[in-house]
Structures are given as structure tokens and as C-alpha cells.
């Protein structure tokens, strides 16, 4: 049986948002609650990486009794690559695969994550990732075969190039919901407006 950890990346400062983006609310629910809920059907081992907003996220996790463990990343200032490297090193001995998710993709559902997991366990691969528009990315599941290279990541460069370098067998799943991410207050307002006034039109 493959042991999977879900890691929600939330260590950054979110300077464009100007506050703790992960705790900004969408119709009464904190932004980070969406990836947490999406990951629950595939694993009970969910981790939230924290950095600049560590205290706020740690308190919220306790107050809301989220089914997740806080992992403070000391090197969060260096960028997402360093965060991925650090968390992989912390988890590599206990897990066969890691599901990487972002705290700011509220449209990603449990159905989307379950589909990624289904593809991962039913096919021979080193990774499964999402495709949306003209790019690939997270949510993505990386197998143990990629851990050594994930640990070499540094700075602001993430792991996307590893999905494209041809050295790994990567299965790609088209999931349009991954294209929605919240970077600014305006993005949040627009998404909430869509949910409340336009989603029913689809």
C-alpha cells in the first residue's frame, strides 16, 4: 500500500495580498480549508507548511480543529523551492509519495484530487500533475523516485521543470479548476462574486 502525505504550501508572505491570504474567507470559510477538505479523501496525513504567518495558521488550525499538522519551515524566506526541499526531507522516510497543493486554489475539489490519486496508483509513473491552459503544475503527486531531486531545489524555483525535463514518467490530467488561484484581494472578490452570482449559470 502506498503511503501518501498531502502538503499544502502556505509558508510565504503573500505580499500581493497584504494579509494572511490562507485565512482570507470565501463565504465564511478560510481559503486554506478548501485544499484541506480536498485532500481528506485520499490521506489522513495532511501537513500545512508555514513561515511568515506561522502563528496565525497554527492558531487557526487548533481553533478550527483541522485534520492537519503544522510544519514550520525555517528557510521559507528563500522561496518555494527551498520550502519543497525542506518538507521533502522532513517526510521522505515516512512516505512513498507526496501530494503537493497550494493554499490559494479554492476551486480544486476532492473529486479532482481523487482523480489524480487514481491515476497515480493505477499507472506506472514518477509523478501525476494537473494540466490547465498551456502549463502543468500543482496539485501534483510526486513518488519517492523524485525525492532526491526535490531535495535539491532552492530559492524561488519550484518543481515544475522536473515535470518537463523528460527524466521522469509523468502522467498529466487536465483539470481546469487548477487555473483559478487567488493572488490579490481583487482575485478573491472576483471569485466570490463568481460563486455567488454566476456559478449557477453553468
Amino acid at each position: 500500500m502506498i503511503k501518501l502525505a498531502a502538503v499544502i504550501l502556505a509558508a510565504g508572505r503573500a505580499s500581493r495580498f497584504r494579509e494572511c491570504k490562507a485565512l482570507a474567507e470565501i463565504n465564511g470559510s478560510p481559503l486554506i480549508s478548501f485544499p484541506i477538505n480536498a485532500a481528506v479523501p485520499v490521506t489522513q496525513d495532511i501537513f500545512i507548511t508555514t513561515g511568515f504567518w506561522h502563528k496565525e495558521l497554527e492558531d487557526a488550525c487548533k481553533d478550527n480543529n483541522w485534520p492537519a499538522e503544522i510544519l514550520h519551515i525555517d528557510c521559507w524566506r528563500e522561496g518555494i523551492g527551498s520550502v519543497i526541499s525542506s518538507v521533502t526531507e522532513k517526510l521522505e522516510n515516512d512516505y512513498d509519495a507526496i501530494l503537493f497543493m497550494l493554499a490559494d486554489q479554492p476551486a480544486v475539489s476532492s473529486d479532482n484530487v481523487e482523480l489524480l490519486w487514481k491515476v497515480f496508483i493505477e499507472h506506472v509513473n514518477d509523478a501525476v500533475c494537473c494540466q490547465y491552459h498551456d502549463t502543468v503544475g500543482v496539485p501534483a503527486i510526486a513518488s519517492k523516485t523524485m525525492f532526491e531531486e526535490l531535495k535539491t531545489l532552492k530559492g524561488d524555483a519550484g518543481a515544475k521543470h522536473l515535470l518537463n525535463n523528460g527524466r521522469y514518467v509523468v502522467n498529466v490530467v487536465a483539470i481546469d479548476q487548477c487555473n483559478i488561484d487567488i493572488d490579490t484581494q481583487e482575485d478573491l472578490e472576483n471569485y466570490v462574486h463568481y460563486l455567488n452570482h454566476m456559478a449557477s449559470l453553468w
Side-chain angles (χ1 to χ4, degrees):
M1 183 176 178
I2 302 172
K3 193 170 183 184
L4 175 70
V7 172
I8 301 171
L9 301 168
R13 183 170 184 166
S15 55
R16 292 178 62 193
F17 199 80
R18 302 188 305 278
E19 62 181 79
C20 185
K21 179 171 63 173
L23 297 181
E25 292 193 351
I26 294 176
N27 292 338
S29 297
L31 189 56
I32 198 169
S33 68
F34 293 90
I36 293 173
N37 293 334
V40 166
V42 299
T43 181
Q44 295 181 342
D45 298 340
I46 301 173
F47 301 89
I48 300 171
T49 66
T50 62
F52 186 86
W53 300 103
H54 170 70
K55 181 67 165 58
E56 290 82 356
L57 287 168
E58 184 178 50
D59 290 346
C61 191
K62 292 176 183 176
D63 293 343
N64 292 280
N65 197 30
W66 289 330
E69 180 179 337
I70 296 292
L71 282 183
H72 182 260
I73 306 298
D74 292 332
C75 62
W76 66 267
R77 294 176 183 82
E78 297 175 13
I80 192 169
S82 296
V83 172
I84 292 172
S85 173
S86 178
V87 77
T88 301
E89 187 171 356
K90 289 176 184 291
L91 300 179
E92 64 176 339
N93 292 328
D94 297 318
Y95 296 95
D96 304 305
I98 299 175
L99 163 65
F100 289 99
M101 304 181 73
L102 298 180
D104 61 2
Q105 288 181 313
V108 173
S109 67
S110 57
D111 287 345
N112 299 147
V113 174
E114 286 180 289
L115 176 58
L116 290 173
W117 182 233
K118 178 180 173 65
V119 172
F120 185 82
I121 61 177
E122 292 184 356
H123 295 80
V124 175
N125 45 228
D126 298 297
V128 174
C129 66
C130 295
Q131 180 177 24
Y132 37 102
H133 289 329
D134 59 350
T135 189
V136 295
V138 288
I141 302 173
S143 76
K144 207 173 188 71
T145 55
M146 296 185 72
F147 286 2
E148 284 303 315
E149 196 152 12
L150 287 174
K151 289 190 299 178
T152 68
L153 297 177
K154 294 191 181 303
D156 285 327
K160 185 177 292 188
H161 67 284
L162 300 183
L163 302 174
N164 294 311
N165 65 14
R167 292 207 299 271
Y168 298 102
V169 177
V170 179
N171 282 311
V172 178
V173 182
I175 299 179
D176 290 339
Q177 291 93 326
C178 300
N179 188 55
I180 298 174
D181 60 73
I182 308 298
D183 287 326
T184 65
Q185 295 278 351
E186 183 180 11
D187 290 341
L188 181 66
E189 292 168 6
N190 289 339
Y191 183 64
V192 171
H193 177 79
Y194 162 76
L195 288 178
N196 294 339
H197 299 286
M198 300 176 66
S200 61
L201 300 177
W202 291 88

